[in-house]
Structures are given as structure tokens and as C-alpha cells.
Amino acid sequence: MIVIADDITGAAEIAGIAHSRGMGVRLFCGLPPYGPVDCGTATVPTALTVIATDTRSMTEAEAAAEITQWGRFRCVIFKKTDSALRGHVVAELAALMQASGYRRAVYLPANPSKGRVIRACTYYIYNKPIHETDFRFDPEFPARTSNLRERFPDAAAHNILMPDAESLDDIRRAVQQYNNGHTLFAGAADLFTAMLDALGQPTNPSPTSFTSPTNPTNSTLILCGSTQSRALDIGIESAPMPRAIYDGSDDLTLWDTTAYDNTHSLILTIPHTHRTGKAVAVHLRSIMARMARRLTDRHRPDHLIIEGGATAWATLQSLGWTEFEIVRQIAPGVVQMRASNGTLVTLKPGSYPWGDLWSFGSSSNLDKQ
């Protein structure tokens, strides 16, 4: 079966959930190079293909066109969307329904396990309306309203339902109520987990392994490319993006990353927040991706860690790394995987905590951010 995600960190989050339950999981950035995915015939799924499309960073028309190609696979059972309402949600769901034959969609971005709920059609994050949180500063999809009908005014016209959900039980009931074989489910991780339960997928845990990014014998490159990023105190030197580059320069020589040549470990950060807009977001992720490529050309790290979905996609595309084996779900949304060249890659959505990633070999407890 197939899950389609609108960004790479969302794809990794879903892949991590499935892997932690003992499923065989493959993650691809775009269409697998060897052709269409085999949907299989098993009633209880044991294998999952997760496709990251990066449609969230496209225009609405581009996103709809990109997602249409996946409609021919009737084994698409889930469309992963952002739990902070970002992305071209209605355009993508409408295109996927038209191409696949689904008669309706249930869009349920609530994640009660992370304090994100929908009450009376209003989206809250830890009891605060989303338009009053830092998501109002998102450079591409700023939260200007917390009401789902106002945020997605054309959803009903496309037969997209948006039920309330204040608890995990609410999400389970929604799956039971609408799962009639003709409904496409779209939303966040809690909804996907409820769907696995409804499909009868066992909860057998998968064996896990772990490689510490702060082990002194490892070389580690960390890209903090999200507007939600927080400072890391883990014993690795930081190289903040210079103000001139943040303000629009593409001259990478202005960015002092010479420390990487000595230790082969470095944290790239963006310490500025005063610019917003699509062009700014594209510039920042492009610069981060180019710098990551420059550094990995000088020395390929043992471990590449990327915070922020758009930055992760741009970086992996720049590096040409498109196929991954899931290694471990470190925390919800924080997933360690292995690229085909052997490099460990850990991805994290910008607004999620790091989990215990840094607790191995580090005295810093960053999960308290």
C-alpha cells in the first residue's frame, strides 16, 4: 500500500510509525526509479511505500498536477498532510479523488497526542488558536485564521469533510464512521495510526538500532532550516547564516564554515526571522541546500540531520539522495534512516521536539524545548 506525503518530514514521520510496528517500509523522494509500486493483495498490510512529493513547496496548480499521477494506484490509502494546516490541501485532495475514483475525502489534521485538536471547526495547539501561535509567521502558509471553514472555504464543494477531533478516541470513531471503501483519508500521524488499527495491522514492535550523532568518532552535519528551530547545545560548533545572505545574497563565501574542515561536524542555523514570503522561503532553503552540498563534497558526514521539511527536500534533492531504508523512529516525527550510500539521515519537522536523539553521548536534554 502507498502513503503520499506533501513534504519529506511528513513522509518520514509516517514511515517511522509503520516501521515501529514491524512493517517493511520504503521511502522515496518522488516516483521510485524502477517504475510503479506493487500494491499487493494482502487484506492486512505488512509493507508500506511512502512517497514524498514536496507539493507543499509548489504552486497550487503544480501541486494538483503532481498529485494526479498517483491517482492510478488504487492502493493509495492515505494522504499525509501537515498538522499545522499548511499546504495546498483542497487542490491536492480534489485532484487525487478525481484521478483515483474516491467519492469523498475526510481531512482530519488534528494530532491530539501532540495537543493539536479541532473543536467546533477551530484548530487549537495546546488550547491556543493556531493563528495566535508562531505559525502565524510561517513564510509560505501563515495561519491567519483558526477556523477550518475559513481556511479551506472550497472544501465542501469538493466533498471534503472536516470533522472535529479532541481526542484519539474521536479520531478512531471518525475512521469507523467514514471508512466505507470509497473515502480517502487525509491528515496527520494520529489519523494514520488509527487507520492501521482499523486495518488490523499488528502492533508488533520492530527491532531498533541507534547511532548517536554526538559520538566523537562520527562526523555530523546538522541543518536547522525551520522557522521553529531552537538553538542546540550539544558540543558541536554552530555556523549562523550571515545577515547578508539571509537578506538575499547568494554568495556562499560570506558564510564561514571553516570549522567543518577541522572536525567534519557543524550546525548550520538561521538566526534571523524578520523576512517572510514565498521568495524568502525559497531563498533560504536553496542556500541551505547549496551549503550542505558544498560541505558534503568536502567531506561526506556519517550523519546528516535536517530540521524542517522544505530544507530537507531541497537538500536531499541537491545531494541526489532519493531512496531510504528506515532505521529507527527516535520520537514522533523524528526518524533515522539510511541513504543508499550508507549515510544516516535523521529528519525532524520544525515544530516537533527532538526526543532522545541527543541523550546518547550528550548531557543536553533538548526534548524540553
Side-chain angles (χ1 to χ4, degrees), residues 124-194:
Y124 296 89
I125 298 180
Y126 291 111
N127 294 317
K128 181 180 289 190
I130 191 172
H131 76 279
E132 297 178 8
T133 71
D134 285 348
F135 287 108
R136 69 187 185 274
F137 303 121
D138 186 85
E140 294 185 81
F141 299 97
R144 296 191 175 97
T145 177
S146 298
N147 185 280
L148 267 64
R149 294 191 187 95
E150 294 175 359
R151 183 72 177 259
F152 307 107
D154 50 348
H158 291 284
N159 206 19
I160 299 172
L161 309 180
M162 299 184 292
D164 285 356
E166 298 186 56
S167 68
L168 293 174
D169 284 340
D170 288 342
I171 290 180
R172 296 186 188 104
R173 280 190 288 268
V175 172
Q176 293 172 356
Q177 179 179 354
Y178 297 111
N179 190 16
N180 61 359
H182 303 292
T183 300
L184 173 66
F185 285 90
D190 284 353
L191 178 60
F192 177 69
T193 300

Side-chain angles (χ1 to χ4, degrees), residues 5-17 27-29 50-54 56 80-83 86 189 223 226 305-314 316 326 329 331-335 337 345-352 354:
D6 66 356
D7 84 324
I8 182 65
T9 53
E13 180 177 19
I14 293 299
I17 291 170
L27 188 151
F28 297 93
C29 296
V50 184
I51 307 295
T53 63
D54 196 46
R56 195 186 303 173
K80 172 67 172 69
T81 65
D82 182 45
S83 65
R86 295 171 294 187
L223 312 183
S226 168
I305 301 172
I306 313 176
E307 183 180 29
T311 298
W313 177 270
L316 296 176
I326 306 303
Q329 179 181 246
V334 185
V335 178
M337 53 195 191
V345 178
T346 297
L347 303 182
K348 183 188 85 70
S351 60
Y352 283 27
W354 288 100

Side-chain angles (χ1 to χ4, degrees), residues 211 213 218-224 260 264 266 268 288-289 291-293 295-296 299-307 311-312 314-317 319 321 324 335-339 341-348 354 357-358:
T211 299
N218 293 334
S219 56
T220 303
L221 178 60
I222 303 173
L223 312 183
C224 295
Y260 186 73
H264 296 158
L266 193 66
L268 301 183
M288 290 289 270
M291 181 55 78
R293 174 64 185 269
L295 294 178
T296 55
H299 174 83
R300 180 166 62 85
D302 300 310
H303 201 159
L304 175 64
I305 301 172
I306 313 176
E307 183 180 29
T311 298
T315 300
L316 296 176
Q317 291 293 297
L319 295 172
W321 302 355
F324 302 91
V335 178
Q336 188 178 86
M337 53 195 191
R338 192 179 304 279
N341 63 11
T343 300
L344 284 172
V345 178
T346 297
L347 303 182
K348 183 188 85 70
W354 288 100
L357 177 62
W358 311 111

